[in-house]
């Protein structure tokens, strides 16, 4: 059980040993985790399991052999405390093989894509990647056969696995939409070397993953690795300050800047039914709830036009796009007359602000449930105080799930003398209390859903 939980945390930290070690020795009850999600038993995880066991019991055997049973028992207790280091030793031992297999897999995926002649579109940004991918795929499917990376697969090895598994589906007449994520500089460049994008969309850049990247400057240069590696056309969201201010120093291919101002006569529909707007002389309707989705739609629509899709087909596709699961997804319960806005997959400050703005359109009592955000590094205090201030101005009730961000959110709430908040120790505790807290006519938004390694 202890070892399984350690491997679960290591996997949750993307096999980063420093982050894994930091978590283990700052959370003494780590063996009680793996309660909300489960370890994925990949070949790598199984190999680490076996090697960690071998290293641990090998060390115990050596201690007994050299120092006898009494001292060996003391060493056994010491080794239990040091189990994370045995996992680290196994990780180090596997590194050469792991690196070799990863490079071979990435090379194979690259060969498949180049041989197929498929047109590749890359999408990245600190926020909105998955939503933009789904919007773009829905539009392009009106005129082209489309393949897209599923769900949250956005790393080099995840994309490579997907390409290899679907090798027979790639062909010259198809479009492959690739979502690209990163935790440090060079990772998007590595994905681009594998997939060779002809087109790209850069959505926006903020402090998401600042703790891993180290600085906003590193995030900016890391995200611009996609348009810098694009061969034909880069579509940029110039509503985003960091994109607008830096694209000329990074982008070398043809670029098109898109802003929400390109849409005219924007209006929100009643009862969380979406938006209407005019674009290029045509009336558009969308069921997507947040105003920022208009920009995402325009980014996708602009690229679709460049690929030759007629405007009426784009309009018809946009009208049919359904809210994306867990990303400002409305869930209405007619029996209780409670509206739930599920934004649990949002993990960045822009998304939080957009969700708060959406909540402000509710007619009944406005409720927020959140554990806060992660990986904001030195910006965490400032960002969460700001979030707390926004909650105080827009919400009637704030439900906080205890995390490292909780005190900062409360500081922001207190800036506006807001006292109607409750702090829960766990997500489960909070959800179990909702039946008591909520009442008919309420609208509640779930903002972010942290994995166990952030508690």
């Amino acid at each position: 059980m202890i070892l399984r939980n350690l491997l679960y945390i290591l996997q949750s930290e993307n096999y980063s040993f420093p982050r894994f070690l930091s978590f283990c020795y700052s959370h003494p009850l780590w063996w009680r985790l793996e309660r909300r999600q489960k370890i994925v038993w990949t070949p790598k995880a199984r190999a680490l399991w076996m090697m960690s066991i071998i290293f641990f019991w090998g060390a115990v055997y050596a201690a007994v052999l050299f120092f006898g049973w009494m001292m060996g028992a003391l060493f056994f207790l010491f080794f239990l405390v040091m189990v994370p280091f045995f996992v680290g030793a196994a990780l180090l031992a596997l590194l050469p093989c792991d690196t070799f297999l990863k490079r071979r897999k990435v090379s194979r995926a690259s060969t498949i894509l180049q041989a197929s002649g498929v047109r590749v579109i890359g999408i990245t940004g600190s926020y909105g990647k998955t939503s933009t991918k789904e919007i773009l795929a829905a539009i392009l499917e009106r005129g082209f056969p489309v393949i897209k990376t599923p769900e949250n697969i956005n790393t080099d090895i995840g994309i490579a696995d997907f390409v290899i598994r679907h090798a027979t589906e790639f062909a010259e007449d198809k479009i492959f939409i690739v979502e690209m994520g990163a935790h440090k500089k060079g990772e998007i460049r590595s994905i681009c070397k594998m997939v060779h994008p002809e087109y790209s969309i850069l959505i926006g850049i903020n402090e998401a993953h600042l703790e891993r990247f180290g600085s906003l400057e590193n995030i900016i240069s890391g995200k611009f690795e996609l348009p810098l590696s694009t061969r034909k056309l880069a579509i940029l969201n110039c509503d985003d300050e960091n994109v607008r201010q830096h694209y000329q120093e990074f982008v070398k291919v043809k670029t098109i800047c898109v802003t929400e101002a390109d849409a005219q006569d924007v209006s929100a529909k009643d009862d969380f039914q979406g938006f209407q707007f005019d674009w290029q002389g045509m009336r558009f309707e969308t069921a997507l709830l947040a105003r920022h989705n208009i920009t995402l739609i325009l980014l996708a629509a602009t690229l679709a036009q460049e690929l030759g899709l007629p405007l009426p087909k784009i309009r018809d596709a946009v009208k049919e796009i359904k809210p994306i699961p867990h990303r400002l997804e409305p869930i209405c319960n007619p029996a209780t007359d409670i509206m739930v806005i599920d934004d649990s997959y949002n993990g960045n400050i822009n998304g939080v602000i957009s969700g708060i703005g959406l909540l402000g359109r509710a007619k009944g009592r406005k409720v927020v449930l959140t554990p806060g955000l992660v990986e904001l590094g030195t910006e965490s205090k400032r960002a969460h105080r700001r979030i707390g201030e926004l909650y105080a101005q827009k919400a009637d009730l704030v439900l906080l799930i205890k995390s490292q961000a909780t005190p900062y959110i409360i500081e922001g709430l207190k800036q506006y003398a807001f006292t109607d908040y409750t702090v829960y120790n766990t997500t489960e505790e909070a959800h179990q209390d909702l039946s008591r807290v909520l009442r008919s006519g309420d609208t509640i938004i779930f903002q972010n859903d942290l994995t166990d390694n952030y508690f």
Side-chain angles (χ1 to χ4, degrees):
M1 176 66 75
I2 291 176
L3 182 56
R4 187 180 73 187
N5 277 278
L6 281 174
L7 292 176
Y8 163 69
I9 293 300
L10 181 63
Q11 195 173 73
S12 299
E13 294 289 3
N14 296 312
Y15 295 98
S16 169
F17 183 67
R19 291 181 60 85
F20 160 75
L21 200 63
S22 174
F23 177 89
C24 290
Y25 290 107
S26 60
H27 295 74
L29 298 180
W30 42 259
W31 60 82
R32 294 173 57 187
L33 294 177
E34 202 198 11
R35 59 180 182 266
R36 294 165 64 223
Q37 299 185 36
K38 299 295 180 183
I39 187 172
V40 179
W41 285 108
T42 62
K44 182 176 181 178
R46 294 183 184 280
L48 286 171
W49 168 278
M50 292 302 301
M51 293 187 71
S52 298
I53 291 174
I54 291 170
F55 287 168
F56 176 82
W57 287 110
V60 172
Y61 175 77
V64 172
L65 187 65
F66 284 100
F67 301 105
W69 286 103
M70 292 294 293
M71 287 298 294
L74 293 176
F75 271 106
F76 174 78
L77 295 176
F78 173 72
F79 290 155
L80 280 178
V81 178
M82 300 297 289
V83 168
F85 284 94
F86 288 104
V87 175
L91 187 65
L92 183 63
L94 280 177
L95 183 60
C97 180
D98 186 48
T99 301
F100 170 76
L101 292 175
K102 178 178 176 180
R103 287 177 177 173
R104 189 172 72 170
K105 188 172 289 187
V106 167
S107 176
R108 183 181 172 193
S110 181
T111 300
I112 291 169
L113 292 175
Q114 291 190 64
S116 71
V118 67
R119 287 185 288 179
V120 177
I121 300 171
I123 297 175
T124 197
S126 299
Y127 54 89
K129 295 185 292 293
T130 301
S131 296
T132 304
K133 176 185 68 180
E134 297 299 331
I135 292 168
L136 180 63
I139 292 173
L140 291 183
E141 283 171 352
R142 293 297 177 116
F144 309 96
V146 173
I147 305 172
K148 62 181 179 181
T149 50
E151 298 176 346
N152 289 322
I153 291 180
N154 57 22
T155 64
D156 55 356
I157 196 66
I159 295 166
D161 280 334
F162 175 78
V163 170
I164 292 169
R165 287 197 308 269
H166 298 84
T168 58
E169 298 176 24
F170 291 93
E172 190 171 351
D173 64 328
K174 293 187 177 181
I175 291 176
F176 182 31
I177 304 174
V178 183
E179 178 182 336
M180 302 183 185
H183 290 121
K184 61 183 179 181
K185 289 175 64 175
E187 290 185 339
I188 290 176
R189 187 188 311 116
S190 175
I191 297 172
C192 290
K193 287 181 178 179
M194 174 175 59
V195 304
H196 304 287
E198 293 182 53
Y199 306 92
S200 64
I201 297 177
L202 176 56
I203 303 153
I205 302 171
N206 63 20
E207 294 88 353
H209 303 306
L210 178 63
E211 182 182 322
R212 294 179 187 251
F213 273 94
S215 69
L216 181 59
E217 290 72 23
N218 286 342
I219 298 175
I220 291 169
S221 59
K223 296 301 181 183
F224 270 106
E225 288 171 2
L226 173 56
L228 191 60
S229 302
T230 300
R231 292 185 289 165
K232 288 186 178 180
L233 173 66
I235 309 291
L236 309 175
N237 173 18
C238 289
D239 279 333
D240 185 274
E241 181 181 2
N242 289 315
V243 174
R244 185 174 63 253
Q245 290 184 354
H246 295 280
Y247 78 91
Q248 290 181 329
E249 64 186 272
F250 286 104
V251 186
K252 308 302 180 185
V253 295
K254 177 184 174 183
T255 61
I256 298 177
C257 281
V258 173
T259 71
E260 187 191 308
D262 296 331
Q264 293 83 42
D265 196 18
V266 178
S267 60
K269 298 180 181 180
D270 292 334
D271 300 322
F272 298 113
Q273 295 299 307
F275 280 88
Q276 300 177 107
F277 61 92
D278 292 332
W279 187 60
Q280 297 190 4
M282 190 167 288
R283 191 64 171 168
F284 280 72
E285 295 182 32
T286 178
L288 302 181
L289 299 186
R291 189 174 181 117
H292 76 261
N293 283 314
I294 295 174
T295 303
L296 304 188
I297 289 169
L298 296 184
L299 290 166
T302 300
L303 180 50
Q305 270 196 319
E306 290 292 318
L307 292 171
L309 196 64
L311 191 59
K313 286 191 175 184
I314 296 174
R315 175 202 58 197
D316 294 344
V318 169
K319 187 174 182 179
E320 296 299 319
I321 295 173
K322 304 299 182 186
I324 298 162
H326 313 299
R327 291 173 172 85
L328 293 174
E329 177 188 14
I331 304 170
C332 182
N333 187 337
T336 61
D337 191 28
I338 293 173
M339 170 66 78
V340 174
I341 300 174
D342 181 359
D343 201 27
S344 55
Y345 280 11
N346 164 55
N348 70 88
I349 184 68
N350 291 70
V352 169
I353 293 171
S354 183
I356 295 171
L358 175 61
L359 184 66
R361 289 168 23 207
K363 295 178 180 178
R365 197 172 60 141
K366 305 167 181 64
V367 185
V368 174
L369 173 63
T370 185
L373 304 175
V374 297
E375 296 185 12
L376 291 176
T378 57
E379 289 294 305
S380 183
K381 182 175 182 178
R382 180 193 63 80
H384 284 103
R385 286 191 64 171
R386 182 185 178 195
I387 290 170
E389 292 170 1
L390 291 171
Y391 286 160
Q393 296 172 67
K394 294 287 187 180
D396 298 304
L397 173 64
V398 176
L399 309 177
L400 300 173
I401 300 167
K402 190 175 181 180
S403 71
Q404 294 176 353
T406 304
Y408 306 139
I409 297 176
I410 292 174
E411 286 181 21
L413 293 172
K414 289 181 176 179
Q415 285 291 313
Y416 285 80
F418 187 96
T419 58
D420 202 357
Y421 65 87
T422 301
V423 179
Y424 298 95
N425 289 317
T426 66
T427 301
E428 292 83 358
E429 181 184 336
H431 281 269
Q432 288 170 6
D433 198 40
L434 289 181
S435 60
R436 180 189 66 83
V437 170
L438 297 179
R439 54 179 183 248
S440 178
D442 284 355
T443 296
I444 180 171
I445 184 168
F446 297 162
Q447 291 200 306
N448 204 8
D449 181 25
L450 305 187
T451 52
D452 290 327
N453 54 317
Y454 290 113
F455 289 97

